[in-house]
Amino acid sequence: MIQIGIIGGAGYTAGELIRLLLHHTKVNINFVFSTSNAGNKISDVHQDLIGTTNMLFTNTINLEVDLIFLCLGHGNSKAFLTQHTFSKNTKIIDLSNDFRLTHDKEFKNLSFVYGLPELQKETIKKAQHIANPGCFATAIQLALLPLAHYKLLQNDVHINAVTGATGAGTSLSKTTHFAWRDNNFSYYKPFTHQHLGEIHQTIQQLQTGFDAAINFMPNRGNFSRGIFATAYTKFEGSLEKAQKLYTNFYKDAVFTHVSSKQVHLKQVVNTNKCLVHLHKHENKLLITSTIDNLLKGASGQAIQNMNLLFDFEETEGLQLKANFF
Amino acid sequence: MIQIGIIGGAGYTAGELIRLLLHHTKVNINFVFSTSNAGNKISDVHQDLIGTTNMLFTNTINLEVDLIFLCLGHGNSKAFLTQHTFSKNTKIIDLSNDFRLTHDKEFKNLSFVYGLPELQKETIKKAQHIANPGCFATAIQLALLPLAHYKLLQNDVHINAVTGATGAGTSLSKTTHFAWRDNNFSYYKPFTHQHLGEIHQTIQQLQTGFDAAINFMPNRGNFSRGIFATAYTKFEGSLEKAQKLYTNFYKDAVFTHVSSKQVHLKQVVNTNKCLVHLHKHENKLLITSTIDNLLKGASGQAIQNMNLLFDFEETEGLQLKANFF
Amino acid sequence: MIQIGIIGGAGYTAGELIRLLLHHTKVNINFVFSTSNAGNKISDVHQDLIGTTNMLFTNTINLEVDLIFLCLGHGNSKAFLTQHTFSKNTKIIDLSNDFRLTHDKEFKNLSFVYGLPELQKETIKKAQHIANPGCFATAIQLALLPLAHYKLLQNDVHINAVTGATGAGTSLSKTTHFAWRDNNFSYYKPFTHQHLGEIHQTIQQLQTGFDAAINFMPNRGNFSRGIFATAYTKFEGSLEKAQKLYTNFYKDAVFTHVSSKQVHLKQVVNTNKCLVHLHKHENKLLITSTIDNLLKGASGQAIQNMNLLFDFEETEGLQLKANFF
Amino acid sequence: MIQIGIIGGAGYTAGELIRLLLHHTKVNINFVFSTSNAGNKISDVHQDLIGTTNMLFTNTINLEVDLIFLCLGHGNSKAFLTQHTFSKNTKIIDLSNDFRLTHDKEFKNLSFVYGLPELQKETIKKAQHIANPGCFATAIQLALLPLAHYKLLQNDVHINAVTGATGAGTSLSKTTHFAWRDNNFSYYKPFTHQHLGEIHQTIQQLQTGFDAAINFMPNRGNFSRGIFATAYTKFEGSLEKAQKLYTNFYKDAVFTHVSSKQVHLKQVVNTNKCLVHLHKHENKLLITSTIDNLLKGASGQAIQNMNLLFDFEETEGLQLKANFF
């Protein structure tokens, strides 16, 4: 049993990690660090865990654990790692955006690898420190990876995606107030969402010299979890050719599946899956990609990365029953 | 055109009042007082009013208006009226719970009348100051008034009611956070909700000596507006007799209707109606009562009271299109 | 009082028409025709109307009324008008897509005018028969009209829009089943939605020779009513210039308003408004347009057209309280 | 690996069974019988299973499997078992209400045991045929079992419960149409719900002679899954005493937990848990009980019964991640 520490235990992503790790057969949660909740039961915050665990949050950190998950707000992981030095054997998976971009990957004596298994599973297996991808970034990259891999991204890409309220985190805010969001719809950060950096970086890694635009419109949906993204771009080949490329590219992916039928969000909610669907209209290829923002878009993918880091079965602890209804 | 002032203009009930008053043919909104929003457009807060009004919030109060609506938090109306003295001709409709109970009705030189038109329309017409009923209190009283009027409340009453998220006001809170409330259900204040005081007072007024229990379970529903209440109690007569009593009691009520068919919440959402339905099972009479918590349960009833105070048509400004879907 | 007949009274659009017409001061509903519901109370189907009207559905048609609204399924209006001949003075407003396109506008001895007031208010005023625009078509045209009017649509347009479940009509279907749609999201008819015909026709009318692509992705949202559409295209001028063009174009529009602040769907739900917002990013102009699909997107716009046909105040009967929460 | 057959594979409960059994380590799904879907992929109906299973529905039945789950409409299980005779070693778990009541338990040469583990785990372990309890019946019995066990149910019980739309099954109906149910609330079958039979039978089994009333008001909530039930009755002892009785009664229950804090529905959604909470007000004990109607209220409990029948770990395959957000 490897020993796990979780830093920042009160948010959504930490909650999902704890839910998953409690039933993972190869790990033990050594501690869950939360300054604001130290001494309280974990199930006081993550209240579905009543009857599952009696663990308490703690304000002490075991620097010798085998693996640390950092579930801190963006910008706070660097600060935390400046203040705390773990054993050189301790692996780290960071869920923030602090170490995802090339110029952030080397920090102190740590070296972070971008943790998108569909992009670079072998590199992840050999890594020590993982920068876990963003939620929108995951959904969108999984829509575009095969095209970039085969150097077939030639034109502007037009992406529209909608995320659930958990995408905004646990802090109370006007746009996550129930009476505002219920039966409402809106966009935010048009063309400038912070995940575009990761997306561009990956596409450049696969298809150097890509210089068309990636237009990304993120939206707030009136649901709690999930991301549904559509992307279209010019594509000269047939639908069959595209399906072949995608199916081939994802043949070893254990969670990303190409669906021959149209997809909808609830197929993946509460699972670690990404479903991808292709449609061709005239010279446009339309790619749909849908994930659970807290699982494949955050904590599920973090566990997947953990499984790769420790050479566990990649699906261990992640064979989740969908909340299909 | 009578001149209207609104005190505390940023909350839900003030918003609904403004929406309604802007299209009322007999009144003019003289000012909307809000310290936190003074100088801002009303449509910056009540954003559906873009294109409808360019009025600004103000921090000055015209003490000579014909009518003041107080839309302040519970407890704050007394404080406000201690600090501000309106013209003796100014009528006041208070939407808080500060003046609803007998021992609160006389305050300074003001004398408040409980503003439930189905209970005492004639008294309201002659009043100067109105204590507008609470939302749950309105739904539940309208379920029980006929029985109390005919002195037929003999046994314990069992009430279960569910309210939308707007019932909790505009402040951000855990139980109005979207990710918490979406697809959730819970109760609060079992048997001790503060509206029980008004309900008991009214029942005593109609049926002195009633001494059985009124058991009231309030619930939080995962919808934005409306209250759906069911109440049952022993009743010896037939269903037909009950229907006759209710229909007769409400024959002059312009917004409260007895439905011969089962009712559901969305029949009344965004209207000033109360729909009442009766069902008999063995010796129990089941009464359903459903209202929009912000209209018949707050601002709509306040306008109805205004219409009565100023001898306008009772339905003026309140013939609202339901948001049935 | 003009006399009104409604054909096909059980659907959403007929329901909304009835709700609005009952409180319109210049009209009288002469009959509501429904073969399946003949003899039943209108309030048995449109159940919020309990206490508002006791009218019954009928299966007889008064061919002499002043105005007929056709609320029939697409394709059925032509069939109906083939079988029934109204007085030559009877005006007709058809809510289907049967008469919207140029080659459909002349039918028997009838001549239909496309009823988008923001496009051609004066033409509508002189018309006898109106083809009421589609819901998506309304939202999208109101986003693009000013650009087309000033011949500034030069490049491909990229549109993403989401509609509520009422957009699918009252028939039961898998994608309007609650357990499927709740907290779900999906697209349909990518790039081929039937409203594209109306949209292209209008743009050609204003900007002859426009030959770039209009890419339209329609989506199903998990809310009941409303359409939220975003459209972007290359635009060389500044944001200020765009705002000036839009504000100027809509200066006489009574329901379409240019908002300087970002907009969200619930600002317009249960109103006849369209809110338009502009944003510029690099060389792209992003236009947001949001309407209630059943009001400005159907029955509200039909009443607006009626007001124009009969020279009533354009806003008569349409000053609706939003269901903002 | 025991071999499993599922009869009636297209509904919600069959879908949940399949989702759970696919990851159960001790069983193999031998066949899923569905006449309407024979030859189709299971993942065409239960669409979250894309990438998880390639199994097809079949129209042939293996009469020699170790265990059959019957997921047929109420009344159809008897018909099915009249037409099909399984091996005498085949165990049967029926999810309908056909065999729950004493007078239904013996059928042909089969003998059914009521499958509520908290009531009679040892009896279930020795059984061959299980009548799986109803969803409301499960939630309500788990609220009342300890009182009945200690013969402390002395007075009328007042129960209000709300269920999600999946409680109505997969058939399309008016009350599960999205535009009707979204943001709506209503009751049905007041005081006469069919699950009262099971509830009374169990209470009599524990507390012979109980003759007070069980008043049960079922409601339709605007969410997809879950049941939230409150029950109150007179109770002379202290809250502490009640908590002690409940905690003691459920000390060996692996899925039913007594929470010292108030509970809400989403704590149990997508899990097999039941959370029970106690509150005392004056002489009333208020018991809250909440479950997922499709899991502890149907398929999860069926798996739990399977685990008991085959002497597997009781929690095997049921350690589910909640869909807490």
Side-chain angles (χ1 to χ4, degrees):
Chain A
M1 299 289 263
I2 66 166
Q3 297 299 314
I4 306 272
I6 296 174
I7 308 295
Y12 291 140
T13 55
E16 293 293 87
L17 275 178
I18 296 167
R19 286 175 188 100
L20 295 169
L21 293 170
L22 283 170
H23 296 124
H24 194 289
T25 61
K26 304 287 176 56
V27 310
N28 180 56
I29 302 179
N30 187 279
F31 70 89
V32 181
F33 176 81
S34 167
T35 44
S36 56
N37 289 286
N40 296 336
K41 284 189 175 179
I42 287 175
S43 62
D44 286 352
V45 171
H46 307 297
Q47 298 170 337
D48 55 298
L49 296 178
I50 291 178
T52 302
T53 182
N54 289 317
M55 269 191 85
L56 307 183
F57 290 106
T58 179
N59 57 7
T60 56
I61 296 178
N62 175 351
L63 296 168
E64 305 291 328
V65 290
D66 300 296
L67 173 64
I68 280 290
F69 289 101
L70 299 178
C71 300
L72 299 165
H74 300 308
N76 294 337
S77 293
K78 282 192 178 172
F80 180 85
L81 291 177
T82 301
Q83 291 156 22
H84 299 84
T85 303
F86 288 90
S87 152
K88 73 176 176 25
N89 295 319
T90 300
K91 300 185 189 229
I92 299 174
I93 297 178
D94 178 55
L95 282 80
S96 82
N97 65 10
D98 285 11
F99 307 110
R100 292 177 192 157
L101 300 185
T102 303
H103 58 81
D104 289 323
K105 284 182 178 166
E106 306 298 322
F107 181 75
K108 293 173 66 184
N109 59 337
L110 310 170
S111 180
F112 285 85
V113 163
Y114 188 66
L116 186 63
E118 287 81 353
L119 173 66
Q120 46 187 13
K121 194 180 290 190
E122 296 310 314
T123 310
I124 292 167
K125 283 183 174 181
K126 288 172 267 172
Q128 179 87 351
H129 312 113
I130 297 289
N132 209 57
C135 52
F136 272 130
T138 296
I140 292 169
Q141 287 176 84
L142 293 176
L144 302 180
L145 278 188
L147 290 181
H149 174 79
Y150 295 110
K151 329 286 192 219
L152 291 168
L153 272 181
Q154 308 289 358
N155 286 279
D156 291 0
V157 185
H158 300 278
I159 303 168
N160 193 288
V162 53
T163 187
T166 52
T170 50
S171 331
L172 306 179
S173 69
K174 190 190 125 184
T175 57
T176 54
H177 198 50
F178 187 85
W180 189 91
R181 191 149 188 153
D182 178 38
N183 271 3
N184 206 354
F185 201 85
S186 57
Y187 74 77
Y188 66 110
K189 300 185 184 167
F191 308 118
T192 58
H193 193 279
Q194 65 272 17
H195 289 178
L196 280 164
E198 299 168 51
I199 296 165
H200 275 291
Q201 174 175 287
T202 292
I203 288 176
Q204 286 298 334
Q205 177 180 333
L206 293 175
Q207 184 177 339
T208 322
F210 170 77
D211 62 354
I214 296 181
N215 300 289
F216 172 31
M217 284 289 302
N219 298 278
R220 296 181 194 97
N222 63 318
F223 46 84
S224 286
R225 57 197 298 163
I227 284 177
F228 183 88
T230 51
Y232 59 87
T233 188
K234 282 190 189 145
F235 178 78
E236 297 306 330
S238 65
L239 176 60
E240 291 66 31
K241 183 183 166 195
Q243 286 171 327
K244 214 164 175 177
L245 296 177
Y246 272 70
T247 306
N248 191 56
F249 185 84
Y250 286 126
K251 67 178 185 298
D252 297 327
V254 293
F255 293 113
T256 299
H257 307 292
V258 181
S259 167
S260 58
K261 312 212 167 188
Q262 236 181 268
V263 294
H264 51 99
L265 180 63
K266 289 216 289 192
Q267 290 178 274
V268 300
V269 169
N270 217 25
T271 78
N272 198 47
K273 286 184 186 176
C274 174
L275 289 187
V276 172
H277 172 71
L278 301 173
H279 177 84
K280 188 94 196 289
H281 178 73
E282 295 171 354
N283 66 351
K284 285 184 287 283
L285 181 67
L286 170 67
I287 311 127
T288 310
S289 167
T290 185
I291 62 168
D292 185 307
N293 60 314
L294 294 175
L295 293 170
K296 184 62 180 169
S299 307
Q301 188 147 268
I303 303 276
Q304 188 181 356
N305 281 316
M306 174 188 83
N307 288 341
L308 295 172
L309 288 182
F310 289 91
D311 209 23
F312 302 149
E313 188 72 29
E314 193 172 349
T315 55
E316 169 64 37
L318 292 171
Q319 288 179 321
L320 304 169
K321 195 189 87 57
N323 189 59
F324 188 53
F325 316 111
Chain B
M1 300 287 263
I2 65 165
Q3 296 300 313
I4 307 273
I6 296 174
I7 308 295
Y12 290 140
T13 56
E16 293 294 89
L17 274 178
I18 296 167
R19 287 175 187 99
L20 295 169
L21 294 170
L22 283 170
H23 295 126
H24 194 289
T25 61
K26 304 288 175 56
V27 310
N28 180 56
I29 302 179
N30 188 279
F31 70 89
V32 181
F33 177 82
S34 166
T35 44
S36 57
N37 289 286
N40 295 336
K41 285 188 174 181
I42 286 175
S43 62
D44 285 352
V45 171
H46 307 296
Q47 298 171 337
D48 56 298
L49 296 178
I50 292 178
T52 303
T53 181
N54 289 316
M55 269 191 86
L56 307 183
F57 290 106
T58 180
N59 57 8
T60 56
I61 295 178
N62 176 350
L63 297 168
E64 305 290 328
V65 291
D66 299 297
L67 173 63
I68 280 289
F69 287 101
L70 298 179
C71 300
L72 299 166
H74 300 307
N76 294 337
S77 293
K78 283 192 177 172
F80 180 85
L81 291 177
T82 301
Q83 290 157 22
H84 299 84
T85 303
F86 288 89
S87 151
K88 71 175 179 28
N89 295 320
T90 300
K91 300 185 191 230
I92 299 174
I93 298 178
D94 178 55
L95 280 82
S96 82
N97 64 11
D98 284 11
F99 307 110
R100 291 177 192 157
L101 300 185
T102 303
H103 58 81
D104 288 322
K105 283 181 177 167
E106 306 298 322
F107 181 75
K108 292 173 68 183
N109 59 338
L110 309 171
S111 180
F112 285 84
V113 163
Y114 189 67
L116 185 64
E118 287 80 353
L119 173 68
Q120 47 187 12
K121 195 181 288 191
E122 295 310 313
T123 310
I124 293 167
K125 282 184 173 178
K126 286 173 268 174
Q128 181 87 348
H129 312 113
I130 297 289
N132 210 57
C135 52
F136 272 130
T138 296
I140 292 168
Q141 287 176 85
L142 293 176
L144 301 180
L145 277 187
L147 290 182
H149 174 80
Y150 295 110
K151 328 285 192 221
L152 292 168
L153 273 181
Q154 308 289 359
N155 285 279
D156 290 0
V157 185
H158 300 277
I159 303 168
N160 194 288
V162 52
T163 186
T166 53
T170 51
S171 330
L172 306 179
S173 68
K174 191 191 125 183
T175 57
T176 55
H177 197 49
F178 186 85
W180 189 91
R181 191 149 187 152
D182 177 39
N183 271 3
N184 208 353
F185 200 85
S186 58
Y187 73 76
Y188 65 112
K189 299 184 186 169
F191 308 117
T192 58
H193 193 279
Q194 65 272 17
H195 288 179
L196 279 164
E198 298 170 49
I199 295 166
H200 275 291
Q201 174 175 285
T202 291
I203 287 177
Q204 286 297 336
Q205 177 180 333
L206 293 176
Q207 183 177 339
T208 322
F210 170 77
D211 62 356
I214 297 181
N215 300 291
F216 171 32
M217 283 290 300
N219 297 279
R220 299 180 191 99
N222 62 320
F223 46 84
S224 288
R225 57 197 297 161
I227 285 177
F228 184 88
T230 50
Y232 58 87
T233 189
K234 283 194 187 142
F235 178 78
E236 297 307 330
S238 65
L239 176 61
E240 293 64 34
K241 182 183 167 197
Q243 285 171 328
K244 213 165 177 176
L245 297 176
Y246 272 70
T247 306
N248 191 55
F249 184 84
Y250 286 126
K251 68 178 186 298
D252 297 327
V254 293
F255 293 112
T256 299
H257 306 291
V258 181
S259 168
S260 58
K261 312 212 167 189
Q262 235 180 271
V263 295
H264 51 99
L265 180 63
K266 289 215 290 191
Q267 289 178 273
V268 300
V269 169
N270 217 25
T271 78
N272 198 47
K273 287 185 186 176
C274 175
L275 288 187
V276 172
H277 172 71
L278 302 173
H279 177 84
K280 188 96 197 288
H281 178 72
E282 294 170 354
N283 66 350
K284 286 184 284 283
L285 181 67
L286 170 68
I287 311 127
T288 310
S289 167
T290 184
I291 63 168
D292 186 309
N293 61 313
L294 294 174
L295 292 170
K296 185 62 179 170
S299 306
Q301 188 147 268
I303 303 276
Q304 187 180 356
N305 280 318
M306 174 188 85
N307 288 341
L308 293 173
L309 288 181
F310 288 91
D311 209 23
F312 301 149
E313 188 72 29
E314 192 173 350
T315 57
E316 169 63 38
L318 292 171
Q319 289 178 321
L320 303 169
K321 195 187 88 55
N323 189 60
F324 187 52
F325 316 112
Chain C
M1 301 287 265
I2 65 165
Q3 296 299 314
I4 307 271
I6 295 175
I7 308 294
Y12 291 139
T13 57
E16 293 293 86
L17 275 178
I18 295 166
R19 287 175 186 97
L20 295 169
L21 293 169
L22 283 170
H23 296 125
H24 194 289
T25 61
K26 302 289 176 54
V27 311
N28 179 56
I29 300 178
N30 187 278
F31 70 88
V32 181
F33 176 82
S34 167
T35 44
S36 56
N37 289 286
N40 295 336
K41 284 188 175 183
I42 287 174
S43 62
D44 285 352
V45 170
H46 307 296
Q47 296 170 337
D48 56 298
L49 296 177
I50 292 177
T52 302
T53 181
N54 289 316
M55 269 191 83
L56 308 182
F57 291 106
T58 179
N59 58 7
T60 57
I61 296 178
N62 175 350
L63 296 168
E64 305 291 327
V65 290
D66 298 297
L67 173 62
I68 280 290
F69 288 101
L70 298 180
C71 298
L72 299 165
H74 301 308
N76 294 337
S77 293
K78 282 192 178 174
F80 181 85
L81 290 177
T82 300
Q83 289 156 23
H84 299 83
T85 304
F86 288 90
S87 152
K88 73 176 174 27
N89 294 321
T90 301
K91 300 187 189 229
I92 299 174
I93 298 178
D94 178 54
L95 281 81
S96 83
N97 65 9
D98 284 11
F99 307 111
R100 292 176 193 157
L101 301 184
T102 304
H103 58 80
D104 288 323
K105 283 181 177 165
E106 306 298 322
F107 182 76
K108 291 174 70 182
N109 59 338
L110 309 171
S111 180
F112 285 84
V113 163
Y114 188 66
L116 186 63
E118 287 81 353
L119 173 67
Q120 47 186 11
K121 195 181 288 190
E122 295 311 313
T123 309
I124 292 167
K125 283 185 173 179
K126 287 174 270 175
Q128 181 87 350
H129 312 113
I130 297 290
N132 210 59
C135 52
F136 273 130
T138 296
I140 292 169
Q141 287 176 83
L142 293 176
L144 302 180
L145 278 186
L147 289 182
H149 174 79
Y150 295 110
K151 327 287 192 221
L152 291 168
L153 272 180
Q154 309 288 358
N155 286 279
D156 290 359
V157 185
H158 300 278
I159 303 167
N160 193 288
V162 53
T163 187
T166 53
T170 50
S171 331
L172 306 179
S173 69
K174 191 190 125 183
T175 57
T176 54
H177 197 51
F178 186 84
W180 189 91
R181 191 151 187 151
D182 177 39
N183 271 3
N184 207 353
F185 200 85
S186 57
Y187 74 76
Y188 65 111
K189 299 183 185 168
F191 309 117
T192 58
H193 193 280
Q194 64 273 15
H195 289 179
L196 279 164
E198 297 169 50
I199 296 165
H200 275 291
Q201 174 174 285
T202 291
I203 288 177
Q204 286 297 336
Q205 178 179 334
L206 294 175
Q207 184 177 339
T208 322
F210 170 77
D211 63 356
I214 297 181
N215 300 290
F216 171 32
M217 283 289 302
N219 297 279
R220 298 180 192 97
N222 63 319
F223 46 84
S224 287
R225 56 197 300 163
I227 285 176
F228 183 88
T230 51
Y232 59 87
T233 189
K234 283 191 188 143
F235 178 77
E236 296 307 329
S238 65
L239 176 61
E240 292 65 33
K241 183 183 165 195
Q243 286 171 328
K244 211 165 177 178
L245 296 176
Y246 272 70
T247 306
N248 191 54
F249 185 84
Y250 286 126
K251 66 177 188 299
D252 298 327
V254 292
F255 293 112
T256 300
H257 306 291
V258 181
S259 167
S260 59
K261 311 212 168 189
Q262 235 181 270
V263 294
H264 51 98
L265 180 63
K266 289 215 289 192
Q267 289 179 273
V268 300
V269 169
N270 217 25
T271 79
N272 198 47
K273 287 184 185 176
C274 175
L275 289 187
V276 172
H277 172 71
L278 302 173
H279 177 83
K280 189 93 196 288
H281 178 73
E282 294 170 355
N283 66 352
K284 285 184 286 281
L285 182 67
L286 170 67
I287 311 125
T288 310
S289 167
T290 186
I291 63 169
D292 186 308
N293 60 314
L294 294 175
L295 292 171
K296 184 63 178 169
S299 306
Q301 187 146 268
I303 303 275
Q304 188 181 355
N305 280 318
M306 174 189 83
N307 288 341
L308 294 172
L309 288 181
F310 289 92
D311 210 23
F312 303 147
E313 188 73 29
E314 193 173 349
T315 55
E316 169 65 35
L318 292 171
Q319 288 178 321
L320 303 169
K321 195 187 88 56
N323 190 59
F324 188 52
F325 316 111
Chain D
M1 300 288 264
I2 66 165
Q3 297 300 314
I4 306 271
I6 296 174
I7 307 295
Y12 290 139
T13 55
E16 293 292 88
L17 275 178
I18 296 166
R19 287 175 187 99
L20 295 169
L21 293 170
L22 283 170
H23 295 125
H24 194 289
T25 61
K26 303 288 177 55
V27 310
N28 179 57
I29 301 179
N30 187 277
F31 69 89
V32 181
F33 176 81
S34 166
T35 44
S36 57
N37 289 286
N40 295 335
K41 284 187 175 182
I42 287 174
S43 63
D44 286 352
V45 171
H46 307 297
Q47 298 170 338
D48 56 298
L49 295 178
I50 292 177
T52 302
T53 181
N54 289 315
M55 268 191 85
L56 308 183
F57 291 107
T58 180
N59 58 7
T60 56
I61 296 178
N62 176 350
L63 296 168
E64 305 291 328
V65 291
D66 299 297
L67 173 63
I68 280 291
F69 288 101
L70 298 179
C71 299
L72 299 165
H74 300 308
N76 294 336
S77 293
K78 283 192 177 172
F80 180 85
L81 290 177
T82 301
Q83 289 156 23
H84 299 82
T85 303
F86 287 89
S87 152
K88 72 178 177 26
N89 294 319
T90 300
K91 299 186 190 230
I92 299 174
I93 297 178
D94 178 55
L95 281 82
S96 81
N97 64 11
D98 284 12
F99 308 110
R100 292 177 192 155
L101 301 185
T102 303
H103 58 80
D104 289 323
K105 283 181 178 167
E106 307 298 321
F107 181 75
K108 292 173 68 182
N109 58 337
L110 310 170
S111 180
F112 285 85
V113 163
Y114 188 66
L116 186 63
E118 288 81 354
L119 173 67
Q120 47 188 12
K121 195 181 288 191
E122 296 310 313
T123 310
I124 293 167
K125 282 183 174 180
K126 288 173 268 173
Q128 179 87 349
H129 312 112
I130 297 289
N132 209 55
C135 52
F136 272 130
T138 296
I140 292 168
Q141 287 176 84
L142 293 175
L144 302 181
L145 278 187
L147 290 182
H149 173 78
Y150 295 109
K151 327 287 191 220
L152 291 168
L153 272 180
Q154 309 288 359
N155 285 277
D156 290 0
V157 185
H158 300 277
I159 303 168
N160 194 287
V162 52
T163 186
T166 53
T170 51
S171 332
L172 306 179
S173 68
K174 191 189 125 184
T175 57
T176 55
H177 198 49
F178 186 85
W180 189 90
R181 191 149 186 153
D182 178 38
N183 271 3
N184 207 353
F185 201 85
S186 58
Y187 73 76
Y188 66 111
K189 300 184 183 167
F191 308 116
T192 58
H193 193 280
Q194 64 273 15
H195 289 178
L196 280 163
E198 298 168 50
I199 295 165
H200 275 291
Q201 174 174 287
T202 292
I203 288 177
Q204 286 298 335
Q205 178 179 335
L206 293 175
Q207 184 177 340
T208 320
F210 170 76
D211 62 354
I214 297 181
N215 300 291
F216 171 31
M217 283 289 301
N219 297 278
R220 296 181 194 97
N222 64 319
F223 46 85
S224 286
R225 55 196 302 162
I227 285 177
F228 183 89
T230 50
Y232 59 87
T233 190
K234 282 190 189 145
F235 179 78
E236 297 307 330
S238 65
L239 176 61
E240 292 65 33
K241 181 182 168 196
Q243 286 170 328
K244 212 165 177 177
L245 296 177
Y246 272 69
T247 306
N248 191 55
F249 185 83
Y250 287 126
K251 67 178 187 298
D252 297 327
V254 291
F255 293 112
T256 300
H257 306 291
V258 181
S259 168
S260 58
K261 311 213 167 188
Q262 236 182 268
V263 294
H264 51 98
L265 180 63
K266 289 215 291 191
Q267 289 178 273
V268 299
V269 169
N270 217 25
T271 78
N272 197 48
K273 287 184 187 177
C274 175
L275 289 187
V276 172
H277 172 71
L278 301 172
H279 177 84
K280 189 94 197 287
H281 179 73
E282 294 170 355
N283 65 351
K284 285 184 286 283
L285 181 67
L286 171 67
I287 310 127
T288 310
S289 166
T290 184
I291 62 168
D292 186 308
N293 60 314
L294 295 175
L295 292 170
K296 185 62 180 168
S299 306
Q301 187 146 269
I303 304 276
Q304 187 180 356
N305 281 317
M306 174 188 81
N307 288 342
L308 294 172
L309 289 181
F310 289 91
D311 209 21
F312 302 148
E313 187 73 29
E314 192 172 350
T315 56
E316 169 64 37
L318 293 171
Q319 289 178 321
L320 304 169
K321 196 188 87 55
N323 190 58
F324 188 53
F325 316 111

